[in-house]
Every structure is written in structure tokens, then in C-alpha cells.
Amino acid sequence: MKKVMIVDDEIAIRENIRSSVDWKQEGFHYCGDAPDGEMALPLIEEWAPDILITDIKMPFMNGLELASIVRAQKPEIKIIIMSGHDEFSYAQEAIRLGVTEYCLKPVSAAELLQILHQVSQKMDEEEQRLMSLAMTKEKLLADLCGGLIGTSDAIDSAKKLSLPLSAKFYAIAIVDVRLEEDAQHTEQLLNKMLFVLQETCNAHAELLPYIRSRTELVLLLKSNSEDSITTCLEELRGHIRLELEQQFTCSIILGIGSRQERLQGIHISYLEADEDKYITRLTLQNKASLRRIQLDEKMDIFLDRNQFLEFLKLGSPHLRNHFVQEFAAPLKSVDWQKSTYGFYLLNDLTLECFRIANQLFRMGADADESIRSLQERIQRIGSWEHCMEYLFTLLDQLWQRRAASSGKYSDVIDQVKSYVAEQYNNEQVSLKTISAHVRISSSHLSKIFSQETGQTITEYLTQVRINKAKELLKTTSSKTFEIAYKVGYNDPHYFSNIFKKTTGCTPKEFRSQGAMPFHEPPSEQIEEPLYE
């Protein structure tokens, strides 16, 4: 609700305005008044009104002086000047100061309300324009990757930006570029690299990129052909990455997410690409160390890594011991007390197992911590028998994750839905508060909820709130602003906008339609942003 404050030296005028308007019903909050500009200033600082109504002729500090200070210090406040003096000089000065409205005393409650609603509408329009300007192509793509925007809002924003967003398939790739020298020029290199990527990738899939940081590019690939997306991702991981490294004399760490069929799936693919990039970086670091050790120690042990990965995918726990004994037989020659060769072989195998596991089933939010814990355990291996025990543990951990991924999230989803059902009327409900309640990181919760339910958490919260609002509109005589509060919206105007986007009609229009069967909103959801 927009907050209104009045400044007038005549107490009768202040009291008359305060008592003659049903502020809440009209969608405003009357925060108070003051007898002159000097006394009003600290109150303005404390109350932070959205609209200031002030008389011109007042002792100590008049309305024009007050308006001048407020415009300089708090330009977002809209000012309405009231004056009993129909003099052109006052109006002229008020316009120069950027006053929103100018009216003559005496002003009736109806006239004042008309002015207030006009000013409120101007404020809403300004806010919409600012939001439109802020929604650049880069921000839209970043919000899609971050799961911060709903499907309908994303499509609307893309349309305004003339950005072709719709497709049957999507995937995310993250390109982390590291220069051997002149690191300060990485940002310039990214722009040049983007041009090359556009030329090479567009042969298979359309590329919508943005720069995430001074060393990273995020590539949103989209196509109506699943094969085209797959081919493009394979070429990115293969010859395109190598050609870019040669052309720009740099090293590239690539992370690739899975193919998705919905816009909301972009967020999932993005999280997977980020995880893939992390594991790739560790793998490259390990391989570099392994090559140095091979040269120093003149060792060349072959471990059939593909065989181990195949057993991870399809093997049975009761065959574990026999398989590991045969697989680890080449490591018997390693002197675990003097050589570090075996440690790096196991570290490389562990990272590849996590990469495959991440593609096969949903890893937990603690995957990074699990890798670090296993790496510490590798460092403590002192014999071939210890090596065997480690491989047992690696297989067991990943199998446990595979088994848990198929069923454990139903409990988490139920917890989220139960929490939303209890707290939907609390405006402070956010992805952060929900993730804290279920004790899962925000990013991981966002990913699994989308995967399990087909909608984001913010879309689900909006669905619950709007459904409850529809129920209240049909079964109670509560005012629209009262219903807005009851379903978690402190701003009735924002509530009305969300309601209309979701249902296709305003709350008033919905109520006037008469009794209707209660039903779910359309599949294309509208969401309000949730901030962490």
C-alpha cells in the first residue's frame, strides 16, 4: 500500500482529510501528518512516505521549501501541493520543483482521492518502465539460469526484447577461460570468443550467450531438434574447445548440462553444467600432476576405468569384492609408502565416477564435500588392502546415492508443500526460508523441486496463493486489499497484477462471475520473484 503523509499548519484541515477518507479501502496507508515543513522533515525520514501532500503557506518552512528539500534528498517521493492562493507564481515554482500535482483549496475528499489514484497510477507505470529497462537480454538469460523468473514472465520479457526464446530443446554450457598471460585482457577475449562460438554453434543450434564473470561465458543452446543439441554439445566438448584454445592461446574448462524440454529446465541444466565444470577442473589438475609423476617415477599402470564405470552403473553389491580384487590387481606393484602414483590414479577414477554419477542420477547438494572427503581418504592409503577398502567405499557411497535419489525427494517435496500451505500468507516466505526449513541448500532444492514437480518453487507458491485468493473471493465479502494480505501480498496493486496474469481477469471481475468450481491455474504459471 502506498503511504501518504500530510503537512498543513491548519489542524482542522489535517483532521478533516485524515477522517474523511477510508484509506485502507482505497488502497493507501495514512502514516501521519505535521504542522509545518520543519517538523515534517524528520518524520519523512522516519516514515518514508510514497506520497507527500503539503500546503504552500506555512510558518517556519513553507511547502515549496519543503518540496525543494524532499526532491533533492528523496526524489522517489511524489509531491502534491495544496494552496489557497490561486497565483500563477506558486504554480510556476511548483512545476519547476518537479511537483507531481497542484490543487487549490478547499479540496473535497473525492477530489483528493482522484488525485491520489492518478499519482498512484503514475508511480505504477514508472515502476513498470524501470523494470522493463532493467530486464536486458543478459539479465533475462541470467534469471532463467538462476531460476529467478517464471515461464510466462520470461516469454513476455523475451518478446519485449525481441529475443527468440521458444524452442523444443534447451541445454546450458559454461565456458571458463584462463589465459596463460595478460589475464587482465580476458574480458576482451571473451567478446572475441563469443563471435567465433556464434559462427560455429549456429550450424546446429541457436546460441544465446551472456558473460557471467570476467572469465566465464554461459551458453544457452536451443533447437527444435534433439539431435542438433546433442551434436553441438559433443562438438563443444571436442574439437570446438580445442580450436578455441589454439586460436586464443588459452585453456578452457567446460561444463555441460543435460538437455531440457521446458524453459524452467534451463535452471536445472545450468546447475548441472556448473557441477560438471567443477569436476572437470579437478580432473584436469589431477591429470597434470599424474603426468609429472609418470615422468619422475617411470611408472605405467593401466587401470580399466571404463570397466569400473560400467560396474558402477550395472554391477551388483554381492559381486563387489570379487570385482574390486580383479580391478585393483595392477595396483599391487605400487609402493604406497614412497610413491604418489597410486593416489593420483584413484583420484582420477573418483572424479570420473562422480561425473558419470551426476549424469545418471541426481547427486546431493553435498557432492563437492563428498569429493573432498574421499580425496582426503585417498591420501591416507598405506597399502594395497587399504586401496581395496577405499574402492569398496567409493562404490558403496555412489550406489547409496543412486538408491536414495529415486525416492528420498518425495519427502522433501512434501515438506516444501506442507510449509507453503502453512506459511503462504507470510510475505517473507522465500526460497531462502523454505530451504532453511527443509535443511537443503537453495540451489539444490530449486533443482530437485523443478525436476520432481515440473514447476519452480516460486510458481508453486504463487499457485497456492492465487488459488486461496480465488476461494476467498467466492466465499467471503472481504475487500480485495484484505484478501491480498490474507494470501501473503502486502501490496494490493501487485496482487491484482499477479492475479490477472494468472487467471486472465481482475479479482473484481472474478468475483462478479458468480460461483465457479475451484480449479488449478493454467499450466503456464506466473510467479513473483523470490530472493535468497
Side-chain angles (χ1 to χ4, degrees):
M1 297 180 78
K2 295 181 177 63
K3 295 184 286 185
V4 179
M5 178 180 174
I6 294 176
V7 184
D8 197 301
D9 61 329
E10 296 183 51
I11 188 170
I13 291 178
R14 299 202 306 272
E15 290 180 349
N16 181 55
I17 292 176
R18 181 173 63 239
S19 60
S20 64
V21 176
D22 189 339
W23 296 99
K24 285 188 177 180
Q25 183 172 343
E26 296 296 337
F28 296 98
H29 171 65
Y30 185 85
C31 57
D33 50 59
D36 61 69
E38 187 176 341
M39 294 189 69
L41 283 174
L43 296 176
I44 291 170
E45 190 69 35
E46 179 183 349
W47 296 338
D50 299 298
I51 301 173
L52 177 67
I53 303 173
T54 179
D55 187 20
I56 284 186
K57 282 288 188 177
M58 295 183 295
F60 304 108
M61 181 185 291
N62 66 40
L64 293 179
E65 292 172 327
L66 174 63
S68 178
I69 294 172
V70 170
R71 289 294 298 163
Q73 296 181 354
K74 296 183 179 295
E76 71 278 7
I77 295 178
K78 302 302 179 185
I79 302 171
I80 300 173
I81 288 285
M82 294 190 302
S83 174
H85 303 271
D86 187 9
E87 296 182 9
F88 179 70
S89 60
Y90 285 126
Q92 200 174 35
E93 178 65 11
I95 293 170
R96 189 187 67 79
L97 290 171
V99 168
T100 307
E101 292 289 343
Y102 183 97
C103 60
L104 296 175
K105 289 182 178 180
V107 58
S108 68
E111 290 172 333
L112 183 60
L113 276 174
Q114 184 180 2
I115 292 172
L116 283 170
H117 283 299
Q118 288 173 352
V119 172
S120 177
Q121 184 177 352
K122 287 180 182 178
M123 294 174 72
D124 291 340
E125 290 171 355
E126 286 179 9
E127 185 177 357
Q128 288 295 325
R129 283 196 296 271
L130 289 173
M131 288 176 65
S132 297
L133 289 172
M135 184 55 75
T136 61
K137 170 188 167 184
E138 289 74 17
K139 185 177 187 302
L140 172 58
L141 295 175
D143 284 352
L144 273 169
C145 289
L148 299 175
I149 187 169
T151 300
S152 182
D153 284 344
I155 292 172
D156 287 345
S157 298
K159 185 177 180 181
K160 292 175 184 175
L161 294 167
S162 300
L163 185 68
L165 197 57
S166 297
K168 290 184 178 179
F169 300 98
Y170 305 91
I172 292 292
I174 300 176
V175 182
D176 189 348
V177 181
R178 301 300 165 101
L179 288 177
E180 297 178 4
E181 298 177 356
D182 299 325
Q184 67 271 21
H185 299 308
T186 307
E187 203 164 342
Q188 299 173 9
L189 180 144
L190 291 183
N191 286 302
K192 295 178 181 178
M193 193 174 287
L194 270 178
F195 179 78
V196 176
L197 284 166
Q198 291 276 13
E199 293 291 313
T200 53
C201 291
N202 280 347
H204 302 290
E206 189 171 350
L207 182 64
L208 300 176
Y210 73 94
I211 297 176
R212 184 170 82 165
S213 70
R214 61 186 301 271
T215 64
E216 287 181 321
L217 294 172
V218 177
L219 313 177
L220 168 57
L221 299 164
K222 70 185 191 74
S223 175
N224 289 327
S225 165
E226 186 175 8
D227 290 341
S228 295
I229 288 275
T230 302
T231 301
C232 190
L233 292 174
E234 290 174 351
E235 293 188 357
L236 268 174
R237 200 183 283 280
H239 75 88
I240 292 178
R241 179 184 62 82
L242 294 174
E243 289 170 5
L244 289 173
E245 286 182 333
Q246 293 173 0
Q247 181 175 345
F248 295 100
T249 318
C250 64
S251 62
I252 292 175
I253 299 172
L254 194 67
I256 290 178
S258 62
R259 293 182 304 276
Q260 298 290 326
E261 296 183 20
R262 296 179 180 272
L263 276 174
Q264 65 189 25
I266 291 172
H267 176 49
I268 297 169
S269 185
Y270 173 81
L271 293 174
E272 292 171 344
D274 220 22
E275 292 171 2
D276 187 47
K277 180 173 69 70
Y278 171 75
I279 295 174
T280 300
R281 179 185 292 113
L282 294 181
T283 302
L284 291 173
Q285 291 171 351
N286 188 72
K287 287 185 183 297
S289 300
L290 188 57
R291 283 194 292 270
R292 288 195 296 271
I293 292 168
Q294 285 176 317
L295 291 173
D296 293 342
E297 300 185 14
K298 304 291 190 296
M299 296 192 74
D300 187 16
I301 295 174
F302 174 72
L303 282 180
D304 192 345
R305 193 170 62 178
N306 290 332
Q307 183 188 26
F308 191 91
L309 296 174
E310 193 66 20
F311 189 75
L312 170 65
K313 297 177 190 176
L314 305 174
S316 301
H318 72 277
L319 298 175
R320 183 199 67 179
N321 290 11
H322 177 71
F323 169 78
V324 169
Q325 277 187 332
E326 289 190 352
F327 173 79
L331 294 173
K332 286 183 177 180
S333 61
V334 173
D335 185 344
W336 296 93
Q337 301 297 328
K338 296 180 181 179
S339 171
T340 56
Y341 187 56
F343 301 128
Y344 284 94
L345 286 176
L346 291 181
N347 191 41
D348 189 55
L349 177 65
T350 299
L351 292 171
E352 190 59 26
C353 283
F354 268 77
R355 181 195 299 283
I356 294 299
N358 192 48
Q359 295 171 2
L360 293 175
F361 49 86
R362 299 166 189 137
M363 298 293 285
D366 61 342
D368 296 353
E369 183 59 37
S370 296
I371 291 174
R372 285 191 288 270
S373 176
L374 288 168
Q375 288 175 326
E376 290 173 2
R377 181 162 180 168
I378 290 172
Q379 295 300 320
R380 297 195 296 270
I381 293 175
S383 65
W384 182 71
E385 288 72 23
H386 289 165
C387 168
M388 294 266 292
E389 290 174 7
Y390 172 79
L391 292 174
F392 293 157
T393 300
L394 176 61
L395 283 170
D396 288 344
Q397 277 197 21
L398 292 173
W399 280 341
Q400 287 171 9
R401 287 177 179 270
R402 180 179 63 185
S405 70
S406 62
K408 74 175 182 180
Y409 293 132
S410 60
D411 291 338
V412 174
I413 301 304
D414 288 343
Q415 288 182 55
V416 171
K417 291 184 175 181
S418 177
Y419 182 78
V420 169
E422 294 173 359
Q423 299 291 327
Y424 69 88
N425 58 346
N426 180 359
E427 189 196 22
Q428 300 304 315
V429 172
S430 66
L431 180 58
K432 183 176 180 180
T433 61
I434 295 173
S435 63
H437 176 75
V438 299
R439 299 181 179 179
I440 293 178
S441 73
S442 298
S443 61
H444 186 57
L445 178 61
S446 177
K447 176 180 176 179
I448 64 175
F449 192 91
S450 296
Q451 288 174 326
E452 297 294 321
T453 68
Q455 62 184 155
T456 66
I457 287 180
T458 49
E459 287 174 337
Y460 177 73
L461 175 61
T462 302
Q463 172 185 313
V464 170
R465 285 173 164 171
I466 296 302
N467 276 346
K468 187 63 180 177
K470 289 161 70 177
E471 181 182 337
L472 293 172
L473 285 165
K474 292 300 184 185
T475 59
T476 73
S477 59
S478 298
K479 301 283 194 299
T480 298
F481 75 88
E482 293 173 330
I483 291 175
Y485 296 149
K486 288 178 182 178
V487 298
Y489 296 98
N490 278 353
D491 185 342
H493 297 286
Y494 183 63
F495 163 70
S496 295
N497 288 337
I498 289 291
F499 190 94
K500 185 171 184 179
K501 285 184 179 180
T502 306
T503 66
C505 60
T506 66
K508 184 177 180 180
E509 291 168 344
F510 181 83
R511 171 174 273 165
S512 67
Q513 291 170 2
M516 293 177 61
F518 187 75
H519 62 277
E520 295 290 314
S523 59
E524 185 178 89
Q525 301 292 337
I526 306 296
E527 68 171 327
E528 74 260 30
L530 283 180
Y531 300 102
E532 294 189 16

